[in-house]
Amino acid sequence: MKNTFLILVCLFFQCINAQPDSLFIVREEPKDDFVRPTWVQKNKATFDLSEVAFVNWNSGGTNSISALLGFETSANYSDGYFNWRNNASIKYGVNKQESKRLRKTDDLFEINSNIGYKPDGASNWFYSAKLNFRTQLTNGYKYPNTDVPISRLMAPGYLFFGGGMEYGKNIEALAFYFSPITLKATFVLDEDLANAGSFGVTPAVLDGEGNIIIEGERIRKEVGILMTNSYKVPIAENIGLKHQVNLYTDYINNFGNLDLDWRVDFDFKVNNYVRATLGSHLRYDDDIKTKEPSEIEGEFDEAGAKIQWKQFLGVGFAVDF
């Protein structure tokens, strides 16, 4: 992905200057320099369900049911010069198919905090600092094998922290962020996964008999460039679009190799409580290597990083409070 990095950088800055005013939520500018400080807090609980059942269906099929539980909370402050946005979210999903054991379909715990300051009240540019932390809550498996977990709580865990500039005419609806210095820390706090070198950490050093001489590292540190873009807009009556993309490249390890995290969600509102959701999550991390079966039975060879993609469609309930 090295060749795409420079192209994406150019497009990133071009979009800042090319956004038409119609993309923004129009709001009346204050008549003076004083804007009353405000805190806005929101909470949202969601439950999505999808199900399929067959009775004497001659084409065949497997009965299944999936459920996804989510909770989001946010607390945002603004006074005309300072802007501080905070949010946290938890998602957990499961799937059950007839005689098969219950399987996990989604698992996320994430915290975001972004603080910005603009010395000129009329400007749309902020000096900004951004923090992002995410991990999972329970063990992950490569089904049907449920004996050996491939991920755990804080294995992995990711922390991004850095500073830069952020542009946003209405920053809660559309924002562009560029940070020339961002710390990325990858945590693998499980001994077995750390020794195996999972998620890019340095693996354990073994002797000729397979005994551990030096244990694998639990934390991998990187410093690089981070660019983000978030966009939230109604595209039709009762249909909303939320887009968020993060682009990161490390200065030292393969500069130009791009880590990508891109989410697109459509929200279809039926009424104040019932809604449908269609979501897509695309991810690429050069540090996460896949494995393929080796010619030697029982062993695996490293196959390099691959694009990860997840799609979700569900109907459920949402409660704002």
Side-chain angles (χ1 to χ4, degrees):
M1 303 184 76
K2 289 183 178 180
N3 293 332
T4 62
F5 177 68
L6 293 177
I7 298 175
L8 289 169
V9 172
C10 295
L11 290 175
F12 181 84
F13 287 105
Q14 182 179 1
C15 289
I16 293 178
N17 297 318
Q19 292 295 332
D21 289 341
S22 60
L23 291 178
F24 298 94
I25 297 176
V26 179
R27 63 177 182 180
E28 185 178 352
E29 294 296 334
K31 297 180 179 180
D32 51 41
D33 292 336
F34 176 76
V35 177
R36 186 181 299 276
T38 58
W39 273 102
V40 178
Q41 183 172 0
K42 296 180 180 179
N43 302 295
K44 184 177 183 179
T46 60
F47 178 73
D48 294 285
L49 185 69
S50 59
E51 181 263 352
V52 59
F54 302 90
V55 178
N56 299 323
W57 194 255
N58 60 10
S59 298
T62 301
N63 297 341
S64 68
I65 184 169
S66 299
L68 176 64
L69 183 66
F71 176 76
E72 299 178 9
T73 182
S74 65
N76 300 328
Y77 171 84
S78 177
D79 66 3
Y81 292 90
F82 281 98
N83 186 288
W84 188 16
R85 309 191 307 278
N86 306 276
N87 66 76
S89 62
I90 297 176
K91 292 182 180 180
Y92 197 84
V94 293
N95 172 267
K96 182 69 171 68
Q97 295 184 11
E98 290 190 352
S99 59
K100 294 182 179 180
R101 299 178 61 181
L102 195 70
R103 298 186 176 188
K104 182 173 68 172
T105 58
D106 204 349
D107 187 358
L108 174 68
F109 174 70
E110 185 173 22
I111 297 174
N112 292 283
S113 184
N114 190 348
I115 186 169
Y117 169 74
K118 56 179 182 179
D120 182 358
S123 174
N124 295 320
W125 285 95
F126 292 81
Y127 298 103
S128 185
K130 183 185 290 286
L131 179 145
N132 169 267
F133 170 79
R134 70 176 186 268
T135 185
Q136 62 189 54
L137 301 176
T138 62
N139 292 353
Y141 300 96
K142 189 173 183 178
Y143 297 105
N145 182 3
T146 57
D147 296 325
V148 181
I150 60 173
S151 59
R152 293 180 181 270
L153 174 66
M154 289 301 294
Y158 296 100
L159 174 68
F160 290 86
F161 179 72
M165 296 293 294
E166 187 168 28
Y167 175 88
K169 187 173 182 179
N170 187 324
I171 202 165
E172 294 185 4
L174 187 147
F176 294 90
Y177 172 79
F178 175 78
S179 170
I181 300 179
T182 291
L183 166 69
K184 176 187 176 183
T186 303
F187 302 91
V188 182
L189 303 187
D190 178 79
E191 181 179 358
D192 293 334
L193 293 174
N195 289 336
S198 301
F199 311 106
V201 298
T202 303
V205 177
L206 309 178
D207 61 17
E209 298 180 353
N211 299 313
I212 297 176
I213 302 175
I214 302 175
E215 292 187 349
E217 293 186 357
R218 303 294 182 95
I219 302 176
R220 175 185 172 89
K221 305 183 186 70
E222 301 173 69
V223 177
I225 298 172
L226 175 66
M227 294 181 293
T228 72
N229 169 225
S230 60
Y231 185 34
K232 184 177 181 181
V233 65
I235 58 176
E237 185 177 359
N238 294 332
I239 301 177
L241 167 67
K242 184 178 181 181
H243 147 87
Q244 182 175 347
V245 61
N246 298 338
L247 307 171
Y248 181 84
T249 185
D250 179 42
Y251 281 119
I252 301 175
N253 301 306
N254 296 323
F255 179 76
N257 270 355
L258 200 64
D259 292 346
L260 168 69
D261 194 295
W262 183 21
R263 307 178 191 179
V264 178
D265 295 294
F266 293 89
D267 192 58
F268 304 89
K269 183 179 180 181
V270 179
N271 54 41
N272 290 336
Y273 301 102
V274 180
R275 56 87 163 115
T277 302
L278 173 63
S280 172
H281 192 174
L282 189 69
R283 180 182 292 171
Y284 178 87
D285 190 334
D286 192 59
D287 298 327
I288 301 179
K289 309 298 183 182
T290 58
K291 294 184 178 181
E292 295 181 349
S294 172
E295 295 180 356
I296 303 176
E297 185 177 355
E299 296 187 4
F300 294 86
D301 295 329
E302 188 174 285
K306 294 184 179 180
I307 292 176
Q308 307 169 52
W309 183 62
K310 179 174 66 176
Q311 181 268 331
F312 173 79
L313 173 63
V315 178
F317 304 92
V319 179
D320 296 313
F321 59 96

